[in-house]
Amino acid sequence: MNKRFYLLILVFLFTRSFSARSQSSLSEKSLGIENDFSVEVFNTESGFPQNSVIDILQSSNGYLWFSTFSGVVRYDGVKFTVFSNNETKGLLSNTVLIIKEDKNKNLWLLDDAGHLVKYDGNTFTGFEKSFGNIKISNFCFSEDGTLYVSTTNNEIYTVNGNILDFSTRINQYNIRLITAGKNNSLLIATTGGLFELKNGTIQQIESIPKTEVLSLCYDRDNFLGVGTIAVIYKVSAAKTEIINLPDESEGYSRIFVDRQNRKWIFDGPDGIYLLGTNDFNQISEESGLSSNTVKSVYQDSEDNIWVGTNNAGVNKLTYKIFRTFSVEDGLIADGVAPIVKSANGAVYVGNNCGGINKIIEGKIIKIPEPKENTCIWSMLEDKDENLWVGTYGGGLFKFKNDKEIFHFNKTNGLSDDVVFALYQDSKGIIWIGTDKSIFTIQHDTLSHFAKDVIKTKVTYFTEDSIGNIWAASNNGLYKINSQKIDLFTTYHGLPSNSIRSLYFDEEKTLWIGTVRGGFSRLKAGKFASFTTIPELSTLDVFALQKTISKTCGLQQIKVFTM
């Protein structure tokens, strides 16, 4: 049973490593259960020309683009392609500060020399001569697709082809950035506050103090996040609030809001502060980032978060579907057998010979009972929220609120003290598979089921749609109903009589995992065996699970082997 648990973890890690073609390193620090995100690091060893990532964008065709001090990098999910001005006609500088996409799916770049560059998917076109001596400092597209640029002398223009049309000028302050506002307006962040250009008229937004504004970002509720040199504000038409960071944090001035409405606050000394519903989580080098000096944050179409650093490449943060729990996190031991999720959300984890852990709200607790016979091999939470625990050598225990209330063993009815399988059927009957036979419990009464017929090790139960109980054993597959017991073996088409797992899919097909025989399918009364699949590294199948393919919606059966 130990091997089954570890195999699942190893398959997961191998898949992630392979999909990146060895271009990334998985941060071990990020794998701790206290971290919500796993972190992959991409840097010069992955194919980047250097390790500073200034801006990030995913284009409409799915490519990820990264700007660096040594060229623009395109990532297709497998490899990185670097575009530099030494080798790419049209690029005017290797240092690109901003990447954006227009409504026609062209990419636009702004370099450190103040030049715009357009990329149509095939060719880079630089505008170094089109705008005379005007040096561009920032640009954006408004809601209607108009291209606005700001200049180093604090003027705002619209761009029509190769022509600049003057819009306005900020006389008293320097422009830091421009971005699209609501209702086709333009927001202008300056060293002296925030301005709005709308219908040809510019006015200062008085609810923001006259301080340097460094970032602007709308959230899902149309609140505007405003990062200033001093604090970060949350602004609506009705009011302006300060987003209070933890007391020890200083110097944070930039905000990014993802599609889940989470606020990522960065460009400070200690990594990122992620604003949840009620509090902040810190993401830093301690939790797996390659550097605390963060310069850009971006969310791709698959909801991964990409974090560009000043000196340590880019980090891909993936919300954990799987988390690894081990002795270091508080488990009794790394050898895990049964796992049960209770109605109240707690997860009970049985250890082969160490007892039971309870995981609730991220905390791992050791259940003090059973005090003896702690080799846990099966668990079940019944419909009344009692926890039943089968052991190897100690019989069967019944718990209520983590306290033992009854114990079945050889002294009070069980034929042996090894309990491999527990199952409660649709009628409320609890089925018990032991090393030698089957027992049932109904209304706390223990009964020896068909003791003259079933005299073998029973390892798994399931129920079909019409109430038949199916039992996996070392002697074949039992089908049990109120009238009779049927036994299916290799004679009927099974590849092995030693069965470990059963699963009914939505089409009422029974999938059967065996020892030394791969897995089988019972459909319309006929068995079909699968023993020559190349992906099966062994013919010992100990678990079966249904999955749904995201790409085509097809039902798939996931097979776990020893």
Side-chain angles (χ1 to χ4, degrees):
M1 296 296 285
N2 301 17
K3 295 180 181 178
R4 183 177 70 181
F5 174 76
Y6 279 109
L7 179 74
L8 175 59
I9 300 301
L10 288 172
V11 167
F12 168 66
L13 294 179
F14 176 80
T15 302
R16 292 188 61 79
S17 176
F18 180 78
S19 67
R21 297 281 179 91
S22 301
Q23 293 182 353
S24 67
S25 59
L26 184 64
S27 170
E28 292 186 5
K29 289 182 179 179
S30 70
L31 298 180
I33 62 172
E34 69 278 5
N35 299 320
D36 291 330
F37 297 88
S38 62
V39 179
E40 288 179 87
V41 181
F42 298 83
N43 51 31
T44 52
E45 295 181 1
S46 311
F48 273 76
Q50 58 94 220
N51 283 329
S52 294
V53 177
I54 307 167
D55 198 16
I56 307 169
L57 175 81
Q58 185 171 33
S59 54
S60 297
N61 56 9
Y63 288 116
L64 278 163
W65 294 82
F66 306 91
S67 64
T68 76
F69 290 110
S70 298
V72 181
V73 181
R74 184 181 69 191
Y75 182 49
D76 63 5
V78 176
K79 66 180 183 298
F80 295 93
T81 302
V82 179
F83 300 91
S84 65
N85 67 337
N86 296 328
E87 301 172 349
T88 305
K89 184 179 179 180
L91 279 181
L92 306 176
S93 169
N94 277 335
T95 301
V96 172
L97 304 177
I98 303 172
I99 311 174
K100 294 186 185 297
E101 186 176 47
D102 66 21
K103 63 181 180 181
N104 296 318
K105 302 181 181 179
N106 300 303
L107 290 188
W108 292 77
L109 318 176
L110 175 66
D111 64 30
D112 61 336
H115 301 132
L116 277 180
V117 176
K118 178 183 176 181
Y119 178 65
D120 62 6
N122 297 302
T123 304
F124 290 91
T125 303
F127 290 80
E128 74 274 29
K129 297 179 181 179
S130 301
F131 304 146
N133 295 322
I134 293 176
K135 187 175 181 180
I136 296 170
S137 61
N138 206 278
F139 76 98
C140 73
F141 295 95
S142 64
E143 288 182 334
D144 65 2
T146 301
L147 173 57
Y148 284 89
V149 299
S150 63
T151 68
T152 54
N153 62 349
N154 303 313
E155 294 175 336
I156 304 291
Y157 294 83
T158 59
V159 180
N160 297 299
N162 295 337
I163 301 173
L164 294 181
D165 291 332
F166 178 79
S167 292
T168 191
R169 175 182 173 83
I170 302 293
N171 291 313
Q172 63 271 49
Y173 305 118
N174 293 324
I175 297 174
R176 286 291 180 252
L177 67 96
I178 57 176
T179 192
K182 298 300 180 182
N183 302 315
N184 214 39
S185 67
L186 183 73
L187 297 178
I188 306 167
T190 76
T191 54
L194 181 62
F195 292 78
E196 183 180 36
L197 176 64
K198 189 173 182 178
N199 299 324
T201 301
I202 188 169
Q203 62 180 5
Q204 187 160 17
I205 298 176
E206 297 296 339
S207 59
I208 302 297
K210 295 180 179 180
T211 186
E212 185 170 7
V213 177
L214 297 172
S215 66
L216 298 167
C217 188
Y218 282 101
D219 70 10
R220 196 167 58 191
D221 302 316
N222 286 324
F223 285 94
L224 178 64
V226 180
T228 75
I229 198 169
V231 296
I232 293 177
Y233 297 93
K234 180 180 177 181
V235 182
S236 69
K239 61 180 178 178
T240 297
E241 305 172 61
I242 294 177
I243 297 178
N244 293 308
L245 295 177
D247 292 339
E248 67 273 13
S249 64
E250 295 179 357
Y252 283 81
S253 58
R254 300 186 188 274
I255 180 169
F256 171 79
V257 182
D258 64 24
R259 282 186 293 275
Q260 288 71 38
N261 217 30
R262 297 173 298 200
K263 281 73 174 175
W264 300 74
I265 297 170
F266 62 100
D267 203 18
D270 301 311
I272 300 169
Y273 282 97
L274 177 58
L275 176 59
T277 304
N278 299 310
D279 57 4
F280 284 90
N281 292 321
Q282 186 177 12
I283 303 173
S284 65
E285 292 177 13
E286 291 297 317
S287 51
L289 285 186
S290 59
S291 171
N292 283 339
T293 309
V294 174
K295 293 302 180 184
S296 53
V297 176
Y298 185 80
Q299 185 177 35
D300 68 21
S301 60
E302 296 179 344
D303 290 337
N304 302 302
I305 299 294
W306 294 82
V307 176
T309 71
N310 187 51
N311 51 13
V314 66
N315 297 247
K316 178 184 177 183
L317 276 60
T318 303
Y319 192 81
K320 290 180 181 176
I321 300 174
F322 294 97
R323 298 192 187 185
T324 303
F325 297 84
S326 67
V327 171
E328 294 180 358
D329 304 304
L331 282 186
I332 298 166
D334 288 335
V336 172
I339 302 174
V340 169
K341 184 175 182 179
S342 68
N344 65 8
V347 175
Y348 290 90
V349 180
N351 177 259
N352 286 36
C353 279
I356 303 172
N357 279 120
K358 179 180 180 181
I359 304 175
I360 186 165
E361 296 180 351
K363 297 180 180 179
I364 300 178
I365 304 166
K366 184 181 185 303
I367 302 300
E369 299 183 273
K371 296 181 175 64
E372 299 178 354
N373 305 308
T374 55
C375 296
I376 312 299
W377 284 85
S378 56
M379 288 194 296
L380 163 74
E381 185 179 66
D382 66 22
K383 296 173 183 177
D384 297 320
E385 299 184 20
N386 300 301
L387 182 67
W388 296 82
V389 178
T391 68
Y392 193 99
L396 176 65
F397 295 82
K398 180 180 179 182
F399 293 85
K400 187 71 173 181
N401 298 324
D402 299 338
K403 300 295 183 183
E404 180 186 324
I405 60 175
F406 207 84
H407 180 200
F408 295 98
N409 57 24
K410 286 194 294 187
T411 66
N412 59 3
L414 283 180
S415 60
D416 63 276
D417 288 335
V418 178
V419 177
F420 285 117
L422 292 168
Y423 181 79
Q424 187 172 37
D425 67 18
S426 57
K427 301 180 183 69
I429 299 171
I430 294 175
W431 294 79
I432 305 159
T434 77
D435 196 35
K436 298 177 182 178
S437 57
I438 294 176
F439 287 79
T440 61
I441 294 179
Q442 191 170 18
H443 307 304
D444 286 335
T445 299
L446 182 70
S447 301
H448 198 160
F449 180 83
K451 63 180 179 180
D452 296 327
V453 179
I454 301 175
K455 302 177 181 180
T456 185
K457 178 179 179 179
V458 176
T459 56
Y460 202 92
F461 296 100
T462 192
E463 185 177 9
D464 63 24
S465 60
I466 59 174
N468 296 311
I469 299 297
W470 296 76
S473 80
N474 271 13
N475 194 40
L477 175 64
Y478 288 96
K479 177 184 177 183
I480 302 168
N481 59 38
S482 57
Q483 284 77 39
K484 62 176 181 175
I485 299 173
D486 293 317
L487 176 63
F488 301 95
T489 66
T490 53
Y491 175 81
H492 301 89
L494 283 172
S496 168
N497 286 335
S498 185
I499 300 172
R500 288 294 179 270
S501 55
L502 302 170
Y503 173 74
F504 273 105
D505 66 19
E506 293 176 353
E507 298 177 352
K508 302 179 183 179
T509 298
L510 178 62
W511 296 86
I512 305 154
T514 76
V515 177
R516 298 182 300 278
F519 65 101
S520 294
R521 180 187 67 198
L522 176 58
K523 185 175 183 179
K526 295 182 179 181
F527 289 96
S529 297
F530 304 87
T531 59
T532 58
I533 297 176
E535 289 79 6
L536 285 180
S537 59
T538 173
L539 295 180
D540 296 334
V541 176
F542 279 74
L544 296 162
Q545 181 185 7
K546 180 189 75 173
T547 61
I548 300 295
S549 170
K550 289 185 177 180
T551 56
C552 56
L554 295 177
Q555 175 179 284
Q556 301 171 339
I557 299 296
K558 187 178 292 185
V559 179
F560 299 98
T561 64
M562 284 289 281

